């Protein structure tokens, strides 16, 4: 009888242990977030002053497309670091390098902000001596002749690098827009900033005016520092305007005379009558402004 009781007790103990084990719940595993872009990798992508970094050795903006070997090296880097890199090629010419990265996790915006600082993200005051805020859209031209257009959207950073236009090339591009069919799909989609009342901005790789908000946030459609201002009427471009800095007035005036000849001068305003319309250059104020209509 005693032996039976001992055996029964043992069975109960064993069964109880097995039941406890069955009810044990596996400890929750921590969520593994996608690693952020490291500072070392960021330094490979973005060089000093916001220019293209060492990763793009062998890439020439405005030149022939990158070789297969260069493409393969950059594609492997992009996969390893979870970034998007693409080349914009038109007529066998490399027009631009596109880059984008999304920082995951609960605080991905912090990673985006750090990378944006490497890309020379500007800041502005909402009022004199008051709160400062970061600019989400900006453009800079580095000393090596490369123009970068960048934007931040919460945890995502995007950039486009192009060859910076000369002032003479800018005038040619602006005048060439006049009279063209101008639905927003007639140019590369990501170059248009759609506005209101037929007024838009066509992003253009040139160092226009330095961005300021004069105490009030400026809508993206009114940012004259990002491109050529365009007026569209009945589906066609009827007016273009550009505002620019003038560090060397002789370069500006020489380019204007070279393109349109001798102007009619009234104080600081120069005008020309051309076969396509009228050109007005207001050279007295800051910033300088040219309107072609």
């Amino acid at each position: 009888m005693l032996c039976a009781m001992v055996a029964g007790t043992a069975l109960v103990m064993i069964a109880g242990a097995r039941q406890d084990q069955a009810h044990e719940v596996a400890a929750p595993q921590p969520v593994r977030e996608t690693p952020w872009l490291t500072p070392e990798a960021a330094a490979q992508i973005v060089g000093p002053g916001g220019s293209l970094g060492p990763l793009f050795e062998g890439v020439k903006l405005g030149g022939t497309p990158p070789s297969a070997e260069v493409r393969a090296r950059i594609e492997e880097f992009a996969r390893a670091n979870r970034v998007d890199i693409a080349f914009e090629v038109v007529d066998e010419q490399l027009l631009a390098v596109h880059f984008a990265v999304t920082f995951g996790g609960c605080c991905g915006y912090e990673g985006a902000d750090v990378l944006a600082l490497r890309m020379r993200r500007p800041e502005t005051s909402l009022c004199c001596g008051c709160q400062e805020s970061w600019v989400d859209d900006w453009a800079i031209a580095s000393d090596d002749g490369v123009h970068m257009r960048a934007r931040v959207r919460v945890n995502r950073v995007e950039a486009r690098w192009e060859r910076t236009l000369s002032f003479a090339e800018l005038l040619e591009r602006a005048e060439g827009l006049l009279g063209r069919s101008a639905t927003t799909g007639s140019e590369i989609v990501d170059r248009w900033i759609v506005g209101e009342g037929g007024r838009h901005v066509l992003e253009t790789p040139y160092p226009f005016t330095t961005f300021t908000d004069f105490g009030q946030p400026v809508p993206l459609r009114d940012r004259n520092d990002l491109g050529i201002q365009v007026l569209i009427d009945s589906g066609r471009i009827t007016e273009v305007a550009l505002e620019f800095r003038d560090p060397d007035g002789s370069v500006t005036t020489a380019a204007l005379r070279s393109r349109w000849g001798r102007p009619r001068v009234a104080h600081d305003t120069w005008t020309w009558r051309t076969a396509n319309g009228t050109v007005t250059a207001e050279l007295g104020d800051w910033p300088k402004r040219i309107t072609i209509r």
Side-chain angles (χ1 to χ4, degrees):
M1 181 69 176
L2 179 60
C3 291
M5 291 176 62
V6 172
T9 302
L11 289 172
V12 171
M13 291 176 63
I14 293 171
R18 288 176 177 173
Q19 187 175 10
D20 290 343
Q21 291 175 1
H23 284 289
E24 287 182 359
V25 179
Q29 296 296 317
V31 178
R32 293 186 177 181
E33 296 182 354
T34 302
W36 284 358
L37 184 69
T38 66
E40 294 75 17
Q44 286 293 311
I45 298 167
V46 184
S51 62
L52 288 170
L55 173 65
F56 298 98
E57 182 179 359
V59 174
K60 183 179 180 181
L61 293 168
T64 57
S67 66
E69 293 77 12
V70 171
R71 281 180 178 268
R73 172 173 55 80
I74 293 174
E75 288 171 359
E76 175 57 31
F77 177 93
R79 283 193 298 269
N81 291 278
R82 298 162 296 279
V83 300
D84 298 322
I85 298 175
F87 300 105
E88 184 180 326
V89 177
V90 176
D91 296 332
E92 293 302 312
Q93 182 182 37
L94 178 62
L95 295 187
V97 174
H98 296 256
F99 161 79
V101 59
T102 300
F103 292 85
C106 66
C107 304
Y109 64 90
E110 293 182 2
D113 288 344
V114 171
L115 178 59
L117 288 177
R118 176 181 290 276
M119 301 167 76
R120 294 175 58 188
R121 183 185 192 181
E123 59 181 339
T124 183
S125 296
L126 296 180
C127 63
C128 297
C130 296
Q131 178 184 0
E132 293 183 340
S133 63
W134 294 108
V135 177
D136 290 335
D137 290 82
W138 70 99
I140 56 175
S142 52
D143 294 337
D144 58 359
V146 175
H147 182 276
M148 181 189 69
R149 164 73 167 93
R151 61 167 59 92
V152 174
R153 296 294 184 269
V154 189
N155 64 335
R156 184 172 176 81
V157 180
E158 299 177 358
R160 179 178 67 233
W161 287 274
E162 303 173 79
R163 184 180 65 83
T164 303
L165 297 179
S166 68
F167 186 68
E169 290 172 326
L170 174 65
L171 296 179
E172 180 179 2
R173 179 168 298 189
E175 188 176 25
L177 293 171
L178 204 65
R180 289 184 54 183
S181 175
T183 59
T184 54
S186 65
E187 294 284 347
I188 298 172
V189 173
D190 62 358
R191 303 300 174 99
W192 281 103
I193 300 174
V194 179
E196 297 178 344
R199 293 195 176 274
H200 312 284
V201 175
L202 182 62
E203 295 180 1
T204 306
Y206 184 82
F208 294 95
T209 60
T210 303
F211 173 69
T212 57
D213 65 2
F214 300 106
Q216 296 294 329
V218 177
L220 196 58
R221 63 178 181 268
D222 295 332
R223 291 281 301 277
N224 54 19
D225 61 309
L226 296 178
I228 298 172
Q229 302 162 56
V230 175
L231 176 62
I232 298 175
D233 186 14
S234 301
R236 291 192 174 276
I237 297 176
T238 59
E239 178 182 298
V240 296
L242 48 98
E243 295 185 355
F244 58 97
R245 292 169 290 176
D246 190 20
D248 187 344
S250 63
V251 172
T252 299
T253 55
L256 291 171
R257 290 179 182 275
S258 175
R259 183 159 192 86
W260 292 301
R262 183 177 179 180
R264 177 180 296 177
V265 179
H267 301 291
D268 295 317
T269 301
W270 292 13
T271 57
W272 294 263
R273 294 287 297 178
T274 70
N276 296 325
T278 302
V279 179
T280 303
E282 300 169 76
L283 305 177
D285 297 328
W286 187 96
K288 316 298 183 186
R289 182 179 178 87
I290 295 175
T291 304
I292 310 173
R293 57 172 64 90

